[in-house]
Amino acid sequence: MRPTDAVGALDLDRIQGTILRERPLPYFGSYLLYEVGDAAEGRAMLRRLLPHVTTAAGWEHPAQDAWLNVVLTHPGLARIGLPREILDGFPRELREPMRTRKEFLGDIGESDPANWDFPEHGSFDIGVLLMAPDETAFAEKLAIGHGAQEDLPSVRRVSRLDIRTPDNLREHFGYADGISRPYIEGQGGTPRRGQSLAKPGEFILGYVNELGRTATGPGPEALWRNGTYLSIRKLHQKVAEFRRFLTARSEDEYGAELLAAKMAGRWRSGCPLALSPEKDVTVEPERLNDFAYYDDDPRGLRTPVASHIRRVNPRDALKDTIVDVRLHQLLRRGAAYGPMLPEGVLEDDGVDRGVVLAFANADPARQFEFVQSQWVNDGDFISAGADQDPLAGNHVTDADFSYAAKPVRRRLRGLPAFVVTKGGEHVFLPGVNGLEYLADGHW
Ligand code: HEM
């Protein structure tokens, strides 16, 4: 292995692909979750999966768009026999089930973990994550998942959640997604215009982070190097409610589209309000992130200060405050589940649809948990009291949304909840070396 402070030299062939690979579009994927009864059988499953794990090497190559990655929960690491002294060294967010921090993360009201359904029985040990550009490639990866479990009676699949691109190739509320993500030093290629730059240790253990320190994990380096933590959330989306809200609070179709754009910070096409605040225009892909807020839009006249994208990534907007945005970056992997509600339908059909978000972060406390609790479900950091994210907030309390408008500021009161949490867990996504270490069991 290379020295741990080697920025600019990522072990791409030892890092699981989901961290760096672009998601195919359309996509066909699945979350397969397993419970393990016997430690030796759990390790046998890892050994079978290992040759099929897709790494980040060659990630820019479209032909390799299908991938298979493996994660373990903290109970899963215990189940396969990892010694207690190593288990105790994992971050608290991993050691304690996410549901135990429900108040902090805003999983209250409808989002209460008592109502979660992913996985169906509350927990899992090993997860196999599949992503493919077509049905055939998906079926091949699925067969590997099935095969890994064969003749291992104590390994039981407890959940399967398929992810599929909605027919309009957007997410369920109708927005283009997967647009903005940080560029990690050493990942290869060149950053796009306006893309935020991040030290690899923010997202991958074994490398230098934004604090100038090497991000590490518990136990031997072989276990944690090239690994990370994924903060997984299953979020149900109330699409009919969202559509009715846009219509009810707008005078015409343009007004509804503008409101959707103000809530997100981008038109539903993906065009940023920062580049075109009054009408939706086609923007070349390389310009989709070419904007900042501090000099060009300090008061949020274009991109509302309380809009989704400006909250979850304030870019340079908080430069004069004590908040260091570089310490709260997230690498998002989002994919939709459930069939699309046909265009124009305003009544709920009772079908479960939404998004599974998987945020890669080396320090879940100061990354995912911070963003979710402080920026999504609270407005204090932008002097907006307890007002929440208009799209993703739980809207149990103080769900108002204000934005600059002519002739006067517009304040929408009492937004209904558009998103309900249906499951969540922090998991360990080891590097290939970590998977080998775990599969061997020579602690
Ligand atoms: C169902 C719930 C959600 C929906 C519909 C949603 C939708 C969107 C959309 C449309 C974008 C802009 C397009 C893009 O950059 O890909 C976006 C960006 C983003 N979202 Fe969400 N989101 C949701 C939940 C969340 C949550 C809970 C978080 C974090 C805790 C989050 C973090 C981000 C980040 C970091 C960005 C990139 C912002 C930027 O760099 O400009 N999202 N989301």
Side-chain angles (χ1 to χ4, degrees):
M1 282 185 215
R2 301 189 179 103
T4 47
D5 58 352
V7 173
L10 300 181
D11 301 336
L12 293 179
D13 57 348
R14 310 296 277 170
I15 295 171
Q16 293 204 58
T18 189
I19 305 182
L20 294 173
R21 281 167 180 268
E22 297 292 344
R23 188 190 61 191
L25 192 70
Y27 53 81
F28 301 78
S30 199
Y31 278 74
L32 307 175
L33 308 184
Y34 299 88
E35 239 171 39
V36 173
D38 173 80
E41 289 192 7
R43 293 197 301 272
M45 179 173 176
L46 293 183
R47 271 197 302 281
R48 288 185 193 168
L49 288 169
L50 251 165
H52 304 287
V53 167
T54 319
T55 71
W59 64 275
E60 65 290 325
H61 201 287
Q64 293 182 1
D65 265 344
W67 77 66
L68 180 150
N69 282 172
V70 180
V71 299
L72 294 101
T73 58
H74 196 257
L77 291 162
R79 283 278 165 78
I80 62 161
L82 194 67
R84 180 54 48 194
E85 62 272 21
I86 302 183
L87 287 168
D88 288 348
F90 278 98
R92 189 179 77 124
E93 294 67 38
L94 214 81
R95 284 184 278 119
E96 295 172 1
M98 195 184 266
R99 55 180 64 229
T100 60
R101 284 186 307 290
K102 61 179 187 175
E103 309 285 343
F104 181 65
L105 296 174
D107 293 325
I108 50 177
E110 272 185 285
S111 290
D112 192 294
N115 305 324
W116 288 7
D117 62 12
F118 180 65
E120 284 83 343
H121 305 294
S123 67
F124 68 100
D125 296 321
I126 296 179
V128 177
L129 281 40
L130 311 178
M131 184 64 94
D134 54 59
E135 289 279 15
T136 313
F138 173 69
E140 280 166 21
K141 297 286 177 203
L142 193 61
I144 296 168
H146 291 331
Q149 181 201 1
E150 239 165 59
D151 307 322
L152 300 175
S154 86
V155 178
R156 212 165 54 86
R157 200 176 76 203
V158 289
S159 196
R160 169 177 168 178
L161 180 62
D162 284 350
I163 44 187
R164 292 285 183 280
T165 338
D167 298 342
N168 59 2
L169 302 185
R170 305 262 179 101
E171 59 73 56
H172 284 296
F173 289 153
Y175 296 95
D177 68 349
I179 299 173
S180 175
R181 46 162 288 164
Y183 174 88
I184 304 176
E185 280 181 26
Q187 71 167 55
T190 44
R192 298 205 184 113
R193 280 159 68 172
Q195 197 175 10
S196 43
L197 307 180
K199 296 272 185 251
E202 288 302 303
F203 305 109
I204 311 167
L205 300 172
Y207 299 89
V208 171
N209 63 20
E210 293 289 347
L211 296 166
R213 301 189 201 121
T214 300
T216 61
E221 184 173 353
L223 169 62
W224 46 261
R225 186 175 169 81
N226 297 314
T228 193
Y229 304 111
L230 284 188
S231 308
I232 300 178
R233 305 277 282 173
K234 180 188 176 204
L235 302 178
H236 166 78
Q237 290 175 260
K238 296 185 175 181
V239 177
E241 177 95 67
F242 180 69
R243 290 180 185 168
R244 284 200 303 271
F245 172 80
L246 293 181
T247 315
R249 305 286 182 111
S250 315
E251 280 176 9
D252 51 25
E253 211 174 304
Y254 167 78
E257 281 308 316
L258 182 65
L259 177 54
K262 291 288 182 189
M263 291 167 79
R266 291 182 186 270
W267 296 92
R268 288 203 270 193
S269 66
C271 166
L273 282 174
L275 299 188
S276 181
E278 277 167 24
K279 63 174 196 278
D280 185 8
V281 296
T282 307
V283 177
E284 314 92 83
E286 60 276 13
R287 289 206 62 217
L288 281 171
N289 273 304
D290 194 11
F291 58 93
Y293 305 121
Y294 185 83
D295 289 323
D296 299 335
D297 188 19
R299 292 166 50 219
L301 300 178
R302 289 169 166 249
T303 312
V305 170
S307 63
H308 178 63
I309 67 162
R310 192 158 166 167
R311 282 171 169 267
V312 289
N313 180 10
R315 300 182 185 222
D316 61 348
L318 305 182
K319 216 155 69 173
D320 289 340
T321 73
I322 54 164
V323 182
D324 187 345
V325 169
R326 294 170 313 141
L327 303 182
H328 309 296
Q329 299 190 73
L330 296 171
L331 196 56
R332 263 176 321 148
R333 282 283 164 239
Y337 71 88
M340 183 180 149
L341 186 68
E343 299 286 0
V345 174
L346 296 179
E347 286 310 313
D348 186 25
D349 59 359
V351 174
D352 185 19
R353 58 176 62 81
V355 63
V356 187
L357 293 173
F359 300 95
N361 43 188
D363 187 341
R366 74 165 160 79
Q367 292 174 277
F368 170 73
E369 295 225 345
F370 177 91
V371 174
Q372 173 70 21
S373 60
Q374 306 302 308
W375 291 354
V376 169
N377 279 325
D378 199 358
D380 196 37
F381 76 109
I382 44 171
S383 307
D387 284 2
Q388 301 177 341
D389 185 314
L391 274 186
N394 65 30
H395 300 181
V396 173
T397 51
D398 296 302
D400 292 354
F401 173 55
S402 309
Y403 61 92
K406 287 178 193 153
V408 288
R409 188 171 185 75
R410 187 161 186 225
R411 184 170 183 87
L412 301 171
R413 294 194 184 273
L415 271 60
F418 303 120
V419 171
V420 179
T421 314
K422 298 297 274 182
E425 206 55 276
H426 296 287
V427 299
F428 181 44
L429 178 96
V432 173
N433 42 283
L435 283 172
E436 286 166 355
Y437 175 85
L438 293 169
D440 282 351
H442 298 137
W443 332 112

